[in-house]
Amino acid sequence: MRARIFGVVIAVLVILALPIRAQERFGGLTGAVTDTMKLAVPGATVTATNNQTGAVRTAVTGGDGTYRIAELSPGRYTVTIELQGFQKATVNDALVVLGKDFPISAELMPGAVTEVVNVTGQIEKQIDLKDVALAHNITSEEFDQLPKARSFQGMALVAPGVNQGEIEGGFQVHGASGAENSFTVDGITTTSLLYGSSRQNTVFEYLQEVQVKTGGVDAQYGGALGGVISAVTKSGGNTFHGEGHYYYSANSISAGPVQRLVLSPIDDKTIAFVQDAKQPLNRHEPGGSIGGPLVKDHLFFFASVSPQVVRRTNAYAFSSGAESGGIDQSQTNTQAFGKLTYSQRRVQANLSFLTTPTRSTGTLTAYNGLTPTAVTTSLAANQSQINRGFGTDQYNVSGDVDFWLGAANYFTVRGGLFYDNYYDTGIPTTTSVNWNAPSIDVAGVPASLQQPNGFNNVPRSQITSRDLTKSGLFQIDYNHSFNAAGSHFVKGGFGVRHTTNDVAGAYPGGYVLINWGKSFRSSVPGVGTGTGTYGYYEVDDRGTNGLVSANMPSLYVQDAWTIGNRLTLNLGIRAERETIPSFKPQLKANAFEFGFGDKIAPRLGATYDVLGDGRVKAFASWGRYFDWVKYELARGSFGGDNWTINYRSLDTLDVFNLSLANMPGRNLWDPSVPNSVRDRRVPNFDTVVPGIKPMYQDSLNAGVEYQINPTTVFGATYIHNKLTRTIEDFGALVNGDEVYYIGNPGEGAGAITPVSGATKPFASPLPLRQYDALEMTVSRRFSQRWFGNANVTISRLYGNYAGLGKSDEILTPTTGVSSATAQQQGGSIARPGTSVGRDWDLDEILWDSNGNLNVLGRLATDRPVVAKFYGAYTFTFGTQIGVSEYAGSGTPISTYVNTLNQIPVFVNGRGDMGRTPVLSHTDLLVSHEFGMSHSQKLRLELNVINLFNQKTVTHIFNNLNKGAGQARADSAIDLSSIDLAKGYNYNALILASPSGASAYDPRYGQADLWQTGAQGQFSVKFLF
């Protein structure tokens, strides 16, 4: 029976021998065994038994009396230590957490093995003496008592060095951008292949533990310059346990929306702050989970399901208040999880499946009018929004088998796949025609076309029929413990990561932007300014199509070498071979690739038991970390994306029939070339710089941990992260088009910047992102009814480069647009992860207006001081209170002036507008449990995020002239005749634009983004 069961598990795992990305899934136990004379006791048997599943693992102490049991699933264990002639030592409740070795040592006393001594003193030690990683663990026992959102990623914010927000583009870890992290569930990557952001949510009902690893990561792991945020799922055990739940959240128990900053769509001059009314929103989430044995002591299952049903209705004042109506949205987000676990003494295996599909119908138009709930578009134009929706199909399947060859060596085989597909539904094929400037009072325009800025016939929508990414790995690892001049724990492995992107999407007939009464100024030399009877218009042809795939093999070796009883050296090295695919293989097989020699990543670290009693640890580590090139680069620069713009004089009033198939008027881009267009996606097949190198960051950490008492640990750590090489595009204007090279700015062919105006060629600035920080943490494990953690980070984030996530490219709601983001319906406020940002695009972005080359300063997400606290207390009568507090410095704001080439220039350097206010929020969870028959309980919870409704300003509008979001050639400055090294008067250039004084944007200096207000959630759970 057991053999057949094991055979089935192995067969499934062979089928799953597909690409995944290996990450943290286990913890371990370690320690030393001595006798009453403090002499090492070799040959003692150490047995760890999982209190839930009954799974058993053993080790034998070496010649120095030490042992290590690795690859233990997180949870609580009973540990026994025994040897003939000594009394048996037992620890009843050892907690194993993700990525850490729990220290359990014992002093054996002479006697019979049948005599048992309970060990309590050594279990009070909380410091992992052998590990240099900076990791923050939150177990299910803790996050069940803390306020939180519904998905595991939200727990990352409690860790030191982690910030989160729309400007950060997600989670920022130790200065790295939000596009440089790794997210995993049971070791399988759920990170976006395109941008580096998190793609799959998981609810807490089936999670055992969440870990945030922020530094000192060993050679086993690659592909992240920031943090590794991991979730490990629960397993079934020898007894049946489960829960049923119902969550409810709604606007009725939450604050109203934040206000809006609006530039008048009627006169394009005045501004207003508009407060919209609260709209109906209800979320219902029933569900449950259960786990237990299929074969006692050997085969277990765990299953969970939790569908979330969302119903929203927005009321609208259409046509700026002339019409009224509403749009309904219906959305279902399903979470379904299943897991099988097999265990015997020499073999352990897991097989899990997680699916998180989304179905949504109805798209809510964003309010943009001057009065509450107003939009500038008509009721008829918004009819298409009623049926417009999207679907997302995601599943994550994984499996692993551990084979123990002996007490000191084993190997692991893993396989899995993350499948992620997005598609649009219900979008009409009508070409969208949009007012990019108001037509009110424009001569000759009839009353029916006299409309405000933002008016359209149908909303602008790309139709994506599919955008499928698949990612995974086949991985085999070998682990061996032995003694040689100390004790060693060596592990090494080989894996192959396979990735795929299959995409098809375009705007039907393109989309049209009409600039009523405005003039267009071409950047093609000698063309100048042109307009038509009613202004000018543009028709954009934009889409993404193609199928690519690539393999990335990797190998590593890592040794934890303990010399004596106090010093441990962590020595490792990793190497990878990476291929960046081409979407047009008929033109070029691959975009470029890096060999193993290009991506050699050493990892060095050391720990020292300062006092020799396990209560004070000093540690330091250094490592080189390579990021993986995001597929956004392959799509944008190597044949996946197309984006051309046709500029025409507007001499017709039949504007709703304009499209790619109908473009009357004079060509304003380059009249000398028939059908000439502006190409915003000139391919880079022939412009990859020879000798291009991968992006990397060097990280140095040093610190100390001190155990104050059996429950409390203090830690202080210095972090120094420095990025000095990246991959970006840089180039110059060729007949008005931006033509780029892909390479390493400041190196090789990228050492000299091509010029686009009167400036002489100059040395390109090297990229710099330097993060220096001191982190101090006090952590108290659960004891006497409460636990808590407080941490403070004092830091500086300095340089000229934000990273792959573009916090220098921000589009807030007031602009009316957002950064295009694949695999989701809406866009993003910060441009998502890419290696083709604006950072080195043209020479003009590298200078300020005073003639200073290389605009260095505090970066846009710099928060010099951040303080956090979280904890929970359980009262004797069953009530629990959990609190989480965040307070951080504001972020710097810099003035931008938009150029004719649509480049936002730091005219006054970085940070000239000061900082946003201090950002803070308090979250609260109040719960109460009612005891029922046997082990059954009823639990009621009230969870409030941002309890005090602090709608703090998080960004200030910083574009001095118009052109934020949608380009405005009539308001842009022309730097084509300027020697940037001599500086320039940007105010004079703004006044010299076709719009003159009207080119200034009156929103400059006004708040345009706020922290979301209080959000409430009620839940009831039945536990058994």
Side-chain angles (χ1 to χ4, degrees):
M1 173 68 177
R2 294 176 184 172
R4 288 197 300 271
I5 293 170
F6 178 64
V8 171
V9 173
I10 293 297
V12 173
L13 288 172
V14 170
I15 293 171
L16 290 175
L18 301 167
I20 61 169
R21 170 160 141 197
Q23 292 293 355
E24 207 80 73
R25 298 176 301 126
F26 301 110
L29 296 171
T30 187
V33 180
T34 61
D35 59 18
T36 55
M37 301 294 292
K38 308 299 183 184
L39 299 176
V41 176
T45 299
V46 184
T47 303
T49 305
N50 188 298
N51 290 351
Q52 180 181 12
T53 67
V56 176
R57 291 279 301 282
T58 62
V60 176
T61 58
D64 59 355
T66 63
Y67 74 93
R68 187 177 190 272
I69 304 178
E71 302 283 304
L72 292 177
S73 297
R76 293 192 176 273
Y77 286 77
T78 296
V79 180
T80 62
I81 303 172
E82 55 188 312
L83 181 65
Q84 190 69 33
F86 294 92
Q87 297 178 6
K88 181 191 295 186
T90 301
V91 175
N92 291 317
D93 208 23
L95 178 63
V96 172
V97 298
L98 194 64
K100 292 182 178 293
D101 284 341
F102 192 96
I104 296 181
S105 297
E107 181 180 295
L108 298 184
M109 302 179 66
V113 176
T114 54
E115 300 177 76
V116 179
V117 176
N118 287 321
V119 178
T120 59
Q122 291 299 319
I123 198 172
E124 295 174 351
K125 294 182 180 179
Q126 302 298 310
I127 298 175
D128 183 348
L129 295 172
K130 301 180 184 295
D131 193 15
V132 297
L134 305 181
H136 195 84
N137 295 66
I138 309 101
T139 66
S140 59
E141 297 171 346
E142 293 177 333
F143 61 62
D144 281 348
Q145 301 180 55
L146 292 174
K148 55 192 173 294
R150 283 294 288 143
S151 190
F152 81 99
Q153 299 94 327
M155 295 306 302
L157 187 60
V158 304
V162 179
N163 291 302
Q164 178 190 17
E166 292 170 307
I167 304 304
E168 288 84 355
F171 294 97
Q172 183 173 50
V173 179
H174 285 171
S177 77
E180 298 164 21
N181 302 312
S182 171
F183 298 87
T184 69
V185 178
D186 278 348
I188 309 303
T189 181
T190 57
T191 309
S192 169
L193 182 63
L194 305 179
Y195 303 117
S197 52
S198 178
R199 281 294 299 167
Q200 189 173 40
N201 293 330
T202 59
V203 296
F204 289 94
E205 276 68 29
Y206 54 83
L207 295 185
Q208 177 67 33
E209 187 170 345
V210 175
Q211 183 195 64
V212 184
K213 189 171 285 188
T214 59
V217 181
D218 69 31
Q220 186 175 358
Y221 310 116
L225 306 187
V228 179
I229 302 168
S230 306
V232 172
T233 59
K234 293 179 178 178
S235 301
N238 272 328
T239 57
F240 288 97
H241 291 284
E243 54 81 34
H245 62 257
Y246 170 72
Y247 289 89
Y248 175 71
S249 60
N251 269 357
S252 59
I253 54 175
S254 300
V258 298
Q259 58 188 331
R260 293 184 285 117
L261 172 64
V262 181
L263 173 64
S264 172
I266 297 172
D267 64 20
D268 205 30
K269 296 178 181 178
T270 58
I271 63 171
F273 288 97
V274 181
Q275 180 62 64
D276 298 308
K278 189 187 297 188
Q279 302 296 310
L281 166 61
N282 293 280
R283 296 186 183 91
H284 304 272
E285 186 177 347
S289 58
I290 186 171
L294 293 174
V295 177
K296 187 175 176 61
D297 292 335
H298 293 291
L299 184 63
F300 316 98
F301 79 95
F302 189 90
S304 178
V305 63
S306 192
Q308 183 187 77
V309 179
V310 183
R311 297 293 183 265
R312 298 182 65 180
T313 299
N314 274 13
Y316 290 94
F318 293 110
S319 299
S320 298
E323 303 174 286
S324 61
I327 299 176
D328 296 330
Q329 183 182 70
S330 174
Q331 188 174 106
T332 302
N333 307 296
T334 302
Q335 299 258 338
F337 172 77
K339 185 176 185 180
L340 291 174
T341 301
Y342 177 79
S343 176
Q344 65 173 2
R345 295 192 73 88
R346 290 190 177 274
V347 178
Q348 294 192 51
N350 294 283
L351 174 66
S352 64
F353 179 82
L354 170 63
T355 181
T356 54
T358 296
R359 299 292 183 269
S360 185
T361 302
T363 299
L364 304 177
T365 302
Y367 297 127
N368 66 353
L370 283 171
T371 56
T373 71
V375 293
T376 57
T377 50
S378 67
L379 175 62
N382 282 276
Q383 289 303 298
S384 63
Q385 298 287 74
I386 295 174
N387 294 316
R388 179 187 170 195
F390 67 92
T392 302
D393 292 320
Q394 296 177 325
Y395 63 80
N396 180 332
V397 58
S398 66
D400 61 83
V401 181
D402 293 332
F403 297 91
W404 285 83
L405 306 177
N409 58 325
Y410 64 96
F411 68 89
T412 300
V413 179
R414 302 172 189 155
L417 176 70
F418 178 48
Y419 176 103
D420 184 7
N421 186 39
Y422 171 89
Y423 54 91
D424 291 307
T425 59
I427 300 178
T429 57
T430 304
T431 299
S432 176
V433 178
N434 299 264
W435 270 226
N436 202 34
S439 57
I440 298 169
D441 296 330
V442 174
V445 177
S448 62
L449 295 180
Q450 295 262 337
Q451 298 293 344
N453 189 13
F455 182 80
N456 59 46
N457 60 336
V458 293
R460 189 177 92 188
S461 305
Q462 176 174 295
I463 300 176
T464 299
S465 59
R466 66 182 178 278
D467 197 344
L468 168 64
T469 60
K470 293 186 287 186
S471 181
L473 171 101
F474 171 75
Q475 179 84 25
I476 184 167
D477 303 291
Y478 179 73
N479 302 260
H480 197 151
S481 299
F482 61 92
N483 291 315
S487 63
H488 296 261
F489 179 67
V490 177
K491 54 185 176 180
F494 172 80
V496 180
R497 179 179 182 249
H498 182 78
T499 51
T500 300
N501 183 207
D502 182 9
V503 57
Y507 289 90
Y511 58 85
V512 180
L513 301 175
I514 302 181
N515 295 273
W516 294 96
K518 304 298 181 181
S519 298
F520 175 75
R521 182 164 47 177
S522 176
S523 56
V524 176
V527 173
T529 301
T531 190
T533 306
Y534 308 107
Y536 76 95
Y537 71 96
E538 65 177 79
V539 183
D540 292 55
D541 184 6
R542 194 172 182 181
T544 306
N545 293 275
L547 168 64
V548 296
S549 63
N551 292 321
M552 186 172 73
S554 63
L555 49 89
Y556 76 94
V557 63
Q558 180 83 33
D559 183 21
W561 177 17
T562 301
I563 303 172
N565 293 321
R566 300 169 72 171
L567 176 65
T568 298
L569 302 179
N570 287 268
L571 310 173
I573 191 166
R574 178 181 181 85
E576 301 168 341
R577 189 179 70 205
E578 182 177 15
T579 300
I580 295 81
S582 165
F583 275 79
K584 293 287 192 327
Q586 68 274 23
L587 299 179
K588 190 174 184 181
N590 293 306
F592 53 92
E593 59 185 345
F594 302 121
F596 284 108
D598 295 317
K599 300 188 70 173
I600 296 176
R603 312 287 169 84
L604 309 174
T607 68
Y608 188 70
D609 184 353
V610 177
L611 301 179
D613 61 359
R615 298 187 183 277
V616 180
K617 179 180 79 171
F619 64 93
S621 69
W622 176 88
R624 175 159 292 181
Y625 299 88
F626 292 95
D627 198 78
W628 293 341
V629 176
K630 311 309 181 215
Y631 269 30
E632 167 63 12
L633 172 64
R635 286 161 61 132
S637 299
F638 295 96
D641 289 352
N642 66 278
W643 184 10
T644 57
I645 307 176
N646 303 267
Y647 295 96
R648 297 288 189 271
S649 61
L650 183 60
D651 301 309
T652 178
L653 295 174
D654 186 20
V655 294
F656 294 119
N657 285 317
L658 298 175
S659 70
L660 289 170
N662 180 36
M663 295 184 292
R666 292 178 293 110
N667 186 340
L668 302 180
W669 178 246
D670 188 354
S672 66
V673 179
N675 301 315
S676 62
V677 296
R678 184 177 199 170
D679 194 342
R680 301 302 306 274
R681 290 292 184 269
V682 178
N684 292 98
F685 296 116
D686 300 320
T687 54
V688 176
V689 174
I692 186 173
K693 299 296 183 183
M695 175 182 181
Y696 74 83
Q697 174 178 282
D698 290 335
S699 298
L700 171 69
N701 306 310
V704 62
E705 290 184 40
Y706 168 56
Q707 185 162 326
I708 300 171
N709 58 45
T711 62
T712 307
V713 174
F714 167 80
T717 306
Y718 168 70
I719 300 101
H720 173 76
N721 291 343
K722 188 174 184 180
L723 182 151
T724 52
R725 175 181 289 157
T726 190
I727 298 171
E728 273 288 347
D729 58 343
F730 46 87
L733 294 175
V734 178
N735 293 324
D737 288 327
E738 298 171 30
V739 178
Y740 296 109
Y741 288 85
I742 302 294
N744 307 121
E747 300 181 54
I752 303 297
T753 296
V755 294
S756 56
T759 311
K760 295 179 181 179
F762 56 89
S764 302
L766 287 165
L768 176 65
R769 185 183 69 200
Q770 182 170 315
Y771 177 81
D772 293 278
L774 174 65
E775 292 179 353
M776 294 172 287
T777 301
V778 177
S779 180
R780 186 185 193 277
R781 67 175 175 85
F782 186 82
S783 177
Q784 296 179 334
R785 299 187 176 277
W786 73 280
F787 68 91
N789 179 284
N791 58 78
V792 175
T793 301
I794 302 169
S795 66
R796 185 185 81 147
L797 180 59
Y798 180 87
N800 59 12
Y801 180 62
L804 298 180
K806 304 302 181 184
S807 56
D808 286 337
E809 300 182 49
I810 301 297
L811 294 173
T812 56
T814 188
T815 66
V817 296
S818 56
S819 290
T821 307
Q823 292 191 306
Q824 63 185 49
Q825 188 180 56
S828 303
I829 286 176
R831 186 174 179 180
T834 180
S835 293
V836 288
R838 278 308 203 183
D839 305 272
W840 279 269
D841 272 5
L842 295 177
D843 55 353
E844 58 195 35
I845 201 171
L846 301 173
W847 302 78
D848 67 18
S849 65
N850 296 312
N852 296 313
L853 174 63
N854 195 10
V855 186
L856 292 165
R858 298 284 185 121
L859 294 175
T861 53
D862 173 62
R863 295 189 186 273
V865 180
V866 174
K868 305 176 186 179
F869 168 79
Y870 69 87
Y873 183 83
T874 302
F875 293 92
T876 56
F877 46 83
T879 297
Q880 297 175 339
I881 295 179
V883 177
S884 180
E885 174 72 28
Y886 174 97
S889 305
T891 53
I893 304 293
S894 308
T895 298
Y896 293 162
V897 171
N898 297 292
T899 75
L900 192 61
N901 298 311
Q902 302 177 17
I903 298 286
V905 179
F906 292 90
V907 290
N908 296 325
R910 291 183 178 272
D912 65 299
M913 296 176 65
R915 289 180 178 268
T916 59
V918 171
L919 179 66
S920 66
H921 58 82
T922 302
D923 305 332
L924 176 69
L925 175 69
V926 179
S927 63
H928 186 83
E929 288 187 354
F930 299 90
M932 302 176 71
S933 61
H934 304 294
S935 60
Q936 300 172 353
K937 296 179 181 179
L938 183 68
R939 180 182 176 93
L940 303 179
E941 294 183 347
L942 176 64
N943 189 96
V944 183
I945 305 299
N946 195 3
L947 176 66
F948 300 112
N949 197 29
Q950 297 170 277
K951 297 179 180 179
T952 308
V953 174
T954 57
H955 190 261
I956 295 172
F957 191 86
N958 56 340
N959 289 263
L960 184 59
N961 60 337
K962 293 173 184 173
Q966 295 290 2
R968 292 281 296 268
D970 61 291
S971 302
I973 66 172
D974 184 359
L975 295 176
S976 61
S977 62
I978 300 296
D979 184 345
L980 300 172
K982 296 179 179 179
Y984 53 88
N985 184 333
Y986 57 84
N987 282 302
L989 293 173
I990 291 173
L991 293 172
S993 69
S995 289
S998 295
Y1000 285 99
D1001 198 315
R1003 294 170 292 183
Y1004 176 76
Q1006 301 294 322
D1008 65 347
L1009 197 64
W1010 294 263
Q1011 180 175 236
T1012 302
Q1015 303 292 305
Q1017 176 183 269
F1018 172 77
S1019 63
V1020 57
K1021 298 180 180 180
F1022 174 65
L1023 310 173
F1024 62 92

